[in-house]
Amino acid sequence: MKIGIIGDGAIGRYVAQHLSAEAHVIITRAERLDAREPPAVHRVARAEDVPEDTDLMIDCAGHQALEQYGVPLLERGLPLITVSVGALADASLHARLAEAARAGGTKLHLASGAIGALDCLQAAKVGGLERVRYVGRKPPKGWRGSPAEDTLNLDTLDTAATHFEGTARDAARLYPKNANVAAAVALAGIGFDATQVRLIADPLVSANIHEIEASGAFGAFRFRIEGKALPDNPKSSALAAMSAVAAIQRHQDPIGF
């Protein structure tokens, strides 16, 4: 397969390294070449410039990139995997991406990102989910550059403090760089407006901790994961990057989940 990548940040570089010869094109405004890139990779600045023989695209560049490039790529009939799940909290963008995928006869695939148990949520939704709650807990430095700074002093915090409690839609809107997990949980389960979210800054933890609590006709479950960041970027989840590669592998495998 010939695979294209949107973005050349920490997650994009991780994906490119794991694709080796399959990395085909990178959509980026940067002209520099990364020494770790496959030598035959092309760099372009527009979705329209992606070569016709590209088989699959993967978005690793955030909400704005999905909004800018997703529609034209899907309209061309290119299947697209994204880790920018939080962008779909924008109902208008969600509708435009869905219409573009239908027009192109293709699909926007959502990578699981930094969380798991989404297959369990999807299955439980069939029988009826009554309650889904996501709790995100990170060290104070993990919330820098977010609205958490408006309510907490992240430099002097000495005990765990909640800085957001509300719906997954509001979390994804207010924390575009931090709430992709909340969005993924919402999409797999009972939706953006019914899923409850709590975000916590905790100086006593060193990992990013994600918890899902769900109950319904199936029973109840609680899932917890402690994730590490990529070495290249302390704000990028290692598991999110791994989930992007795994999503590509699922697309290629003749048998699999």
Side-chain angles (χ1 to χ4, degrees):
M1 293 183 71
K2 292 186 175 180
I3 299 170
I5 303 169
I6 303 173
D8 61 350
I11 293 179
R13 290 193 299 271
Y14 183 95
V15 172
Q17 291 166 36
H18 282 75
L19 291 179
S20 62
E22 292 172 317
H24 177 57
V25 60
I26 296 177
I27 299 180
T28 174
R29 289 188 174 87
E31 296 182 356
R32 65 172 179 78
L33 290 177
D34 192 308
R36 294 166 290 184
E37 279 178 14
V41 74
H42 303 286
R43 283 179 169 251
V44 300
R46 306 184 308 159
E48 293 80 2
D49 296 330
V50 171
E52 291 293 332
D53 59 348
T54 304
D55 299 303
L56 174 68
M57 295 294 301
I58 180 157
D59 159 44
C60 303
H63 295 193
Q64 290 185 340
L66 180 61
E67 182 172 6
Q68 180 176 355
Y69 302 116
V71 168
L73 289 170
L74 291 167
E75 287 178 338
R76 284 182 52 181
L78 277 169
L80 173 63
I81 297 168
T82 183
V83 297
S84 308
V85 181
L88 298 177
D90 182 335
S92 173
L93 177 60
H94 189 291
R96 283 185 281 127
L97 290 166
E99 179 56 33
R102 283 191 289 266
T106 189
K107 185 173 182 177
L108 175 64
H109 301 269
L110 308 181
S112 57
I115 193 64
L118 299 183
D119 55 341
C120 186
L121 270 179
Q122 287 178 312
K125 181 168 62 173
V126 174
L129 276 167
E130 297 171 2
R131 177 179 177 270
V132 178
R133 185 186 192 213
Y134 163 69
V135 179
R137 184 185 299 265
K138 296 182 181 182
K141 66 179 181 181
W143 298 110
R144 290 202 175 106
S146 80
E149 294 182 320
D150 298 334
T151 56
L152 301 176
N153 187 329
L154 299 177
D155 293 325
T156 61
L157 193 67
D158 58 5
T159 188
T162 297
H163 54 86
F164 174 86
E165 197 149 12
T167 68
R169 190 178 302 279
D170 285 341
R173 178 177 57 85
L174 294 171
Y175 295 79
K177 295 182 179 180
N178 300 89
N180 278 327
V181 172
V185 171
L187 285 165
I190 54 178
F192 281 101
D193 297 312
T195 302
Q196 292 300 303
V197 173
R198 184 183 181 198
L199 302 178
I200 302 169
D202 189 343
L204 302 180
V205 302
S206 58
N208 295 339
I209 301 173
H210 308 285
E211 293 179 295
I212 304 172
E213 300 171 359
S215 59
F218 76 98
F221 81 82
R222 183 175 182 180
F223 178 87
R224 174 186 169 106
I225 187 168
E226 298 187 18
K228 295 182 178 180
L230 286 172
D232 288 3
N233 185 347
K235 291 188 177 182
S236 294
S237 162
L239 189 59
M242 295 169 190
S243 81
V245 176
I248 295 170
Q249 293 171 342
R250 285 196 301 273
H251 191 85
Q252 294 172 314
D253 290 345
I255 298 176
F257 293 101

